[in-house]
Amino acid sequence: MPKRFRGFPSPVYVTRPLLPSLDKVQAELQEIWGSKWLTNNGLQHNKLEGKLTEFLQVPFLSLFNNGTTALLTACQGLGLTGEVITTPFTFAATPHVLSWQKLRPVFCDIDSETLNINPAMIEALITPETSAIMPVHVFGMPCDVKTIQAIADYYNLKVIYDAAHAFGVRIDGVGIGNFGDASMFSFHATKLFHTVEGGALTCPKESLKVQLDLLKNFGIQSEDEVLFPGINGKMNEIQAAVGLLVLELLAEAWAKRSGLIQAYRECLNDMEGITYCKPAENVEYNHQYFVIRINEQRFGCSRDHVYQQLKEYNVFARKYFYPLCSNYSCYSALPSASPDRLPVAGQVADEVLSLPLHGELAREDIVIICDIIRSQSRAKLIINA
Ligand code: T4K
């Protein structure tokens, strides 16, 4: 850290959206204006749907106006009922989608390495009411898809992946949207690939895609026939046009982020009490998040202390995902939400910190952020001496 460093001159956020040039956006807008076709399966929408089907290497893909509506629609399309086993270590949208569908979330503890649902704990939570498993590839780290599928097959359960963070991730060269009965991707502005707001569902069966497309358009089959109570989940032309432009920037952004993650790893490598997930060899990651864990005892101070101190230097890291969803007041009374059933998730939620990761950062910024973190450990050691 430079001597007498008082903080970054402007806020360093956990992420910043990838922005195509305004000129290019303007040109796209002109075309859309000229067509006078703004939504409902327009040209841009169909073009993006085709490109993403190819990019994600999936058989079928449907675009949505956001990831949450997409996940809701997947639950409806797959006819889920009763209870759904999911992780408490996720964004609010995951269990909330289940609640909106009048499904009961059943929280399962997580694996301390991948931070994803622990497949070894799933079977004990299955009851006659269970209709599905909804795992989350948290921070783009793949779940144990093979074991989860084996459990689902044995108990005849559906699997819907919340792949909100996992755009472009591949396992053994296979696009992550190919697992389970459906996967949801979020294209929110905070995601590397975005359409301002937006999302998609991928699925292996054409019949399901047809169903999902009907459901996201009110269940309208034709001017004369409405089949079931669908929702308005359609992505509009402006969102799709932005998505097409962002897609062009992706490879460069990925390379940049990969370099920044490398810098984080080098700087944090020798810091006692700080750990981060080790990449698996068979996975291609998307560099969406860089998350560390701070072990209070070994590091010398808590995650919350580091989080606050970073703010003093104008660095806005985020405690994704604290609090656990199971601790929200709307879920804490559920039997599966009891903290003694979720010990790993509880500990992880107290230790995690998402550090800034986006294309406006330089390697030097990462070095400074790591120095600030390091200085907290030393400061505490001096105070305690
Ligand atoms: N499942 C999972 C596992 C998810 O993580 C999410 C969404 C969903 C489902 C639902 O998908 P969507 O329906 O959203 O498509 C953000 C995002 O709003 C949310 O999409 C995302 N997960 C979640 C992890 O992060 P917040 O409340 O942290 O956002 P916010 O507004 O505090 O933004 C974070 C930082 O990003 C800001 O400090 C600055 C920067 N930022 C943000 C926005 C919106 C910008 O620089 N520009 C922007 O336009 O939830």
Side-chain angles (χ1 to χ4, degrees):
M1 186 161 39
K3 269 193 181 159
R4 288 202 209 98
F5 178 76
R6 294 250 166 81
F8 286 91
S10 46
V12 178
Y13 292 115
V14 70
T15 191
R16 300 255 79 181
L18 195 52
L19 293 176
S21 83
L22 263 182
D23 286 349
K24 286 195 169 182
V25 175
Q26 177 89 21
E28 292 303 327
L29 283 178
Q30 223 142 26
E31 203 175 314
I32 294 168
W33 258 228
S35 77
K36 296 194 167 73
W37 195 272
L38 304 185
T39 186
N40 290 9
N41 291 323
L43 268 179
Q44 306 285 334
H45 169 281
N46 295 345
K47 197 167 158 193
L48 183 64
E49 199 163 275
K51 286 224 170 189
L52 291 182
T53 306
E54 214 174 285
F55 190 89
L56 295 174
Q57 297 177 326
V58 290
F60 300 102
L61 179 146
S62 294
L63 294 173
F64 283 80
N65 50 9
N66 61 59
T68 306
T69 321
L71 207 51
L72 275 171
T73 307
C75 293
Q76 201 179 345
L78 286 162
L80 305 196
T81 55
E83 297 175 355
V84 176
I85 298 171
T86 190
T87 168
F89 187 67
T90 180
F91 189 60
T94 318
H96 285 358
V97 157
L98 300 175
S99 300
W100 274 70
Q101 288 287 334
K102 304 271 181 282
L103 299 162
R104 189 163 352 124
V106 174
F107 295 109
C108 179
D109 206 2
I110 61 170
D111 177 271
S112 67
E113 290 299 314
T114 65
L115 313 186
N116 288 321
I117 197 166
N118 184 343
M121 320 276 299
I122 293 177
E123 270 189 285
L125 298 171
I126 296 173
T127 73
E129 297 282 293
T130 312
S131 64
I133 308 170
M134 186 178 281
V136 179
H137 300 297
V138 81
F139 308 133
M141 296 185 293
C143 296
D144 180 349
V145 291
K146 273 194 193 144
T147 310
I148 291 170
Q149 195 57 55
I151 296 168
D153 289 345
Y154 187 79
Y155 290 96
N156 197 21
L157 305 175
K158 302 282 189 221
V159 181
I160 301 178
Y161 281 104
D162 179 334
H165 305 169
F167 184 87
V169 173
R170 295 200 174 97
I171 310 175
D172 290 318
V174 178
I176 201 156
N178 286 286
F179 300 97
D181 295 281
S183 296
M184 178 280 282
F185 294 87
S186 165
F187 303 155
H188 183 262
T190 51
K191 303 295 180 294
L192 188 56
F193 170 74
H194 74 91
T195 56
V196 183
E197 289 269 5
L201 288 176
T202 60
C203 62
K205 290 189 187 151
E206 191 169 11
S207 56
L208 182 58
K209 175 173 162 59
V210 172
Q211 176 92 342
L212 297 172
D213 284 345
L214 282 166
L215 280 170
K216 77 173 184 192
N217 188 28
F218 313 99
I220 296 174
Q221 164 92 324
S222 69
E223 284 187 35
D224 302 317
E225 198 177 9
V226 177
L227 295 178
F228 25 62
I231 198 167
N232 182 355
K234 291 167 277 124
M235 177 180 281
N236 68 49
E237 288 293 273
I238 301 173
Q239 288 174 293
V242 170
L244 285 163
L245 294 175
V246 171
L247 204 53
E248 289 174 11
L249 307 176
L250 212 53
E252 202 181 317
W254 255 328
K256 170 109 205 250
R257 284 181 180 225
S258 165
L260 296 176
I261 287 183
Q262 190 54 32
Y264 267 130
R265 290 202 179 116
E266 283 163 20
C267 295
L268 296 170
N269 206 14
D270 62 341
M271 246 185 259
E272 174 72 12
I274 303 276
T275 50
Y276 44 84
C277 291
K278 299 280 175 292
E281 290 214 332
N282 64 334
V283 176
E284 287 163 59
Y285 293 92
N286 65 1
H287 316 307
Q288 173 74 65
Y289 293 92
F290 185 75
V291 180
I292 59 169
R293 286 177 65 181
I294 301 175
N295 180 296
E296 182 171 353
Q297 275 201 324
R298 284 172 45 223
F299 185 63
C301 65
S302 69
R303 182 274 314 274
D304 287 349
H305 176 83
V306 175
Y307 165 79
Q308 284 301 341
Q309 289 304 308
L310 282 167
K311 275 191 184 175
E312 301 287 318
Y313 290 94
N314 227 357
V315 178
F316 296 88
R318 292 297 289 264
K319 298 187 253 181
Y320 293 139
F321 287 106
Y322 171 89
L324 289 179
C325 296
S326 48
N327 288 338
Y328 298 173
S329 57
C330 49
Y331 299 121
S332 59
L334 291 171
S336 67
S338 167
D340 57 346
R341 293 180 175 211
L342 305 166
V344 179
Q347 188 180 352
V348 169
D350 287 343
E351 293 184 351
V352 276
L353 196 59
S354 268
L355 298 180
L357 181 65
H358 56 80
E360 288 172 24
L361 294 171
R363 194 187 157 82
E364 297 73 52
D365 300 322
I366 304 297
V367 173
I368 294 174
I369 292 168
C370 294
D371 280 350
I372 298 170
I373 296 173
R374 190 188 300 273
S375 70
Q376 297 317 307
S377 161
R378 276 206 224 103
K380 260 296 191 320
L381 287 174
I382 292 164
I383 291 165
N384 291 338

